Amino acid sequence: MKPTIYNVASKAGVSIATVSKVLNKTGRISEGTRRRVVEVMEEMGYQPSVIASALTGKSTFTIGMLIPDLANPFFAEVARSAEDRGHELGFNLVMCSTDNDPAKEVDYISLLKQKSVDGIILSTVTTNHSTVKDILKLNIPVALIARDMPTLAVDTVIVDDFIGGYLAAEHLIELGHRRIAVIAEDMNVMSSSERVRGYRSALEENGLEYDDALVKESDFTIQGGKLKSGELLDSIHSPTAIFACNDLLAIGAIQAARERGMQLPRDLSVVGFDNTILASIVEPPLTTVAQPMRDMGRHVIDLLIQEIRGLKNQKQRIILVPELVVRGSTSKRVHTGNQ
Amino acid sequence: MKPTIYNVASKAGVSIATVSKVLNKTGRISEGTRRRVVEVMEEMGYQPSVIASALTGKSTFTIGMLIPDLANPFFAEVARSAEDRGHELGFNLVMCSTDNDPAKEVDYISLLKQKSVDGIILSTVTTNHSTVKDILKLNIPVALIARDMPTLAVDTVIVDDFIGGYLAAEHLIELGHRRIAVIAEDMNVMSSSERVRGYRSALEENGLEYDDALVKESDFTIQGGKLKSGELLDSIHSPTAIFACNDLLAIGAIQAARERGMQLPRDLSVVGFDNTILASIVEPPLTTVAQPMRDMGRHVIDLLIQEIRGLKNQKQRIILVPELVVRGSTSKRVHTGNQ
DNA sequence: ATGAAAGCGCTAACAC
DNA sequence: GTGTTAGCGCTTTCAT
């Protein structure tokens, strides 16, 4: 049987209150008894029960993390980093993949509540903010990662998606491209629409016309990217460059081009977003807008834990700046004379 | 304030015992009161506290999962699948990335114990089995994933690594290769040594000599694979094919070959292991030995939860059969006449 | 069919 | 400095 505080107390010849005090370093206990109690604890291999402690109103030292998909390289990386930072600070993470399904989100949150997690990290796409509001209403600490809800007072860590989109488009424009398509994820999600807005802004600043026909929406899979890119490439005025709103979509674009016998980057330039491990591995290596995934994971945890500890009155929004990583999937536009 | 069982009880005009009974569907309660209690629970948005329930000896419905690295595509995929299956059965997963560091393992396990997780899934490389033994001694359910300890009575889900290595080598031999190198992970780990053993067995069955100089050990990173492959390719009798013990290493091999101006698969055939998403994305697409990651994740959870529920007296070892997926990184050996 | 009460392991007044 | 004790929210005999 696992030893309890009672076992330790009786073996050390003190009361459980004393043991509790040495455990939490609260109250005053003489150095002598402290040492003896510690000794006994080690002897017995005593480990306090977080469960029991939590029941008296203390922390559970666990955080719930809701992300679309743990197997997605971007989120896996962010999660790993968050896990590391949490561990440093004594917190464990419960991972919940929602597939962007509101029902799953609600379900997971309900479970996490029942388990009295100390806080929740959220990367949700719900258009209505009810999920987040519900959590806030319950007064449980939340932090958003990679997803913005500017109208809500909630800790947030994101990348400046507008700038990201801008950088991508600007890079392509500088390379001489004029027909630049974009494959977006769900445009109802801010991070996605912001990227497109940045793209559009770069276009306009450079005197290029924004063309709706060049903007496609897709789910966030390679397949989706391939499909939509295919449509673009098969259209009358096919683009000479594609800005895909994440690396997966960009890889889909590359595959679609390949299937059509195109040479990259000669016949088509492709820019991705995220800079996941995939970007460095595809052929050609993907030019992409890098999100600092490790930093992001670290920051959310720090924000959330500050919140949990009540060290903060003010909500904070950390907006990181993305960086363009130029690799081999983009190059100067080749003038074919057909436009 | 979150409603408790007391609030529900008083509002429904019954005792907490009654509420508890409708909650757990135990004992006998009249349909009338049952309905009324349920009604009140919904009205108040009551959710039982898992913490409190756990303190009375019931489950916490959470499982700890120790893997080397959550950001590694193989483990991310397995974890995702395990998470899904766990969720179906009402369990949450706490993810712990150990980096194969025994100290971290011990640390995480200690934390998980304090939190009274219902069981632990382990993918450890510790040579001495003390970690596992410790857990078993504490009588907490464990299951091994992707790592074998045949001498221990513990639930396990693995792929037949021997066959995997055999398939890889056999494929290359059939393509006419005779100098086939192998890049292994830590040979102290069974999964790794088994793959090499399978490779060796295929060699010998086909009358090829096993050459120690063609076997390199590496950490499990792209960099490592690249480095070791480089050494092989730069050696006097450089191989015409490389079997890398995981996709990351294989990608390193591809990169090393590229750097040396080699054409794949013409100048070098490469076989990987795992069939992660990376394998389908590199260029050329990687021929690889596929591990059924989704099935594996699902199976460990099922094994572990059966164990948790005490539905099983007998430990079980599920050994899945890997499959060779042939893609573009392997081809017939080109006879250059130099051997 | 329902309730009273003990107890799970711990924390936090409060008393001595 | 140290101990007593009342909870925390729930489960579970055991009466009734």
Side-chain angles (χ1 to χ4, degrees), chain A residues 6-41:
Chain A
Y6 285 96
N7 305 319
V8 175
S10 71
K11 185 151 183 185
V14 296
S15 76
I16 59 162
T18 303
V19 177
S20 175
K21 276 166 197 156
V22 344
L23 218 46
N24 302 295
K25 307 186 201 311
T26 60
R28 33 196 87 272
I29 15 81
S30 72
E31 184 52 25
T33 55
R34 204 194 64 78
R35 259 213 302 279
R36 193 151 37 79
V37 171
V38 170
E39 211 169 86
V40 172
M41 293 197 302

Side-chain angles (χ1 to χ4, degrees), chain B residues 27 62 66 76 79 89 104 112 115 138 148 225 232 248 250 265 320 329:
Chain B
T62 98
L66 270 70
L89 299 162
K104 270 195 190 174
L112 293 174
K115 296 194 178 168
L138 288 158
D148 202 9
L232 286 164
L248 254 19
L320 271 15
S329 67

Side-chain angles (χ1 to χ4, degrees), chain B residues 28-104:
Chain B
R28 35 196 85 270
I29 14 80
S30 71
E31 183 53 22
T33 56
R34 204 194 64 76
R35 260 215 301 280
R36 195 151 36 78
V37 170
V38 169
E39 212 169 84
V40 171
M41 295 199 298
E42 284 178 352
E43 247 178 75
M44 310 183 72
Y46 170 72
Q47 311 217 221
S49 156
V50 174
I51 297 289
S53 161
L55 192 55
T56 73
K58 313 261 288 193
S59 302
T60 53
F61 294 102
T62 98
I63 290 172
M65 183 160 192
L66 270 70
I67 52 178
D69 179 14
L70 191 52
N72 175 313
F74 172 74
F75 287 107
E77 189 80 31
V78 174
R80 171 56 149 95
S81 161
E83 189 218 304
D84 282 351
R85 183 57 177 162
H87 188 219
E88 279 179 44
L89 299 162
F91 287 75
N92 284 126
L93 263 60
V94 174
M95 295 296 171
C96 309
S97 296
T98 63
D99 290 320
N100 284 327
D101 175 355
K104 270 195 190 174

Side-chain angles (χ1 to χ4, degrees), chain A residues 257-302:
Chain A
R258 278 275 168 69
E259 264 185 10
R260 286 162 179 74
M262 302 173 85
Q263 282 271 346
L264 267 60
R266 197 194 61 190
D267 303 330
L268 181 74
S269 284
V270 176
V271 176
F273 207 110
D274 288 349
N275 196 28
T276 56
I277 185 170
L278 303 179
S280 59
I281 278 170
V282 254
E283 187 57 33
L286 191 62
T287 294
T288 191
V289 179
Q291 297 205 56
M293 298 171 281
R294 311 291 306 186
D295 292 341
M296 293 171 75
R298 192 170 217 281
H299 276 130
V300 241
I301 289 289
D302 284 345

Side-chain angles (χ1 to χ4, degrees), chain A residues 187-264:
Chain A
M187 289 285 282
N188 295 314
V189 181
M190 263 203 61
S191 65
S192 191
S193 59
E194 279 299 284
R195 289 174 197 180
V196 175
R197 207 167 63 78
Y199 148 89
R200 181 169 188 163
S201 175
L203 248 53
E204 288 167 354
E205 271 188 27
N206 287 275
L208 294 177
E209 203 175 320
Y210 173 86
D211 180 356
D212 248 342
L214 288 175
V215 181
K216 296 268 186 185
E217 221 171 320
S218 163
D219 58 9
F220 61 125
T221 63
I222 295 182
Q223 285 315 314
K226 190 168 172 180
L227 188 73
K228 297 300 175 179
S229 301
E231 292 175 9
L232 286 164
L233 297 174
D234 292 339
S235 65
I236 289 290
H237 274 318
S238 113
T240 65
I242 295 180
F243 164 40
C245 281
N246 70 232
D247 288 348
L248 255 19
L249 295 174
I251 289 167
I254 290 177
Q255 292 183 351
R258 278 275 168 69
E259 264 185 10
R260 286 162 179 74
M262 302 173 85
Q263 282 271 346
L264 267 60

Side-chain angles (χ1 to χ4, degrees), chain B residues 100-308:
Chain B
N100 284 327
D101 175 355
K104 270 195 190 174
E105 277 180 16
V106 171
D107 189 30
Y108 267 124
I109 288 173
S110 165
L111 282 170
L112 293 174
K113 265 166 29 193
Q114 291 178 219
K115 296 194 178 168
S116 311
V117 295
D118 294 332
I120 294 182
I121 292 173
L122 213 55
S123 182
T124 178
V125 295
T126 38
T127 313
N128 60 21
H129 301 165
S130 59
T131 314
V132 188
K133 280 187 194 148
D134 286 354
I135 304 178
L136 287 169
K137 214 178 300 161
L138 288 158
N139 213 27
I140 119 159
V142 206
L144 261 36
I145 176 84
R147 224 106 269 186
D148 202 9
M149 300 191 183
T151 59
L152 251 42
V154 50
D155 287 303
T156 306
V157 176
I158 46 163
V159 122
D160 191 318
D161 289 299
F162 176 86
I163 294 184
Y166 187 96
L167 288 174
E170 183 186 49
H171 171 63
L172 292 167
I173 294 168
E174 280 173 357
L175 290 172
H177 294 279
R178 314 207 77 236
R179 286 190 64 75
I180 302 170
V182 38
I183 303 184
E185 299 176 52
D186 186 341
M187 288 287 281
N188 295 315
V189 181
M190 263 203 61
S191 64
S192 192
S193 60
E194 278 299 285
R195 288 173 198 182
V196 175
R197 205 168 64 79
Y199 149 91
R200 182 171 189 159
S201 174
L203 249 53
E204 288 167 353
E205 272 188 28
N206 287 274
L208 294 177
E209 202 174 320
Y210 173 86
D211 181 355
D212 248 341
L214 288 176
V215 181
K216 297 267 184 185
E217 220 170 322
S218 163
D219 57 10
F220 61 126
T221 63
I222 295 182
Q223 284 314 315
K226 191 168 170 181
L227 187 75
K228 297 300 175 180
S229 300
E231 292 175 9
L232 286 164
L233 296 175
D234 292 339
S235 66
I236 290 290
H237 274 318
S238 115
T240 65
I242 295 180
F243 164 40
C245 281
N246 68 233
D247 289 347
L248 254 19
L249 295 173
I251 288 166
I254 290 176
Q255 293 183 352
R258 278 275 167 70
E259 265 185 11
R260 286 162 180 74
M262 302 174 83
Q263 282 273 345
L264 266 60
R266 197 195 60 191
D267 303 331
L268 181 74
S269 284
V270 176
V271 177
F273 207 110
D274 287 349
N275 196 27
T276 56
I277 185 172
L278 302 179
S280 59
I281 278 171
V282 254
E283 186 57 36
L286 191 63
T287 294
T288 191
V289 179
Q291 298 205 55
M293 297 170 282
R294 311 290 308 186
D295 292 341
M296 293 171 75
R298 192 169 218 283
H299 276 128
V300 241
I301 288 288
D302 284 346
L303 244 43
L304 187 64
I305 290 181
Q306 278 176 49
E307 180 87 13
I308 289 170

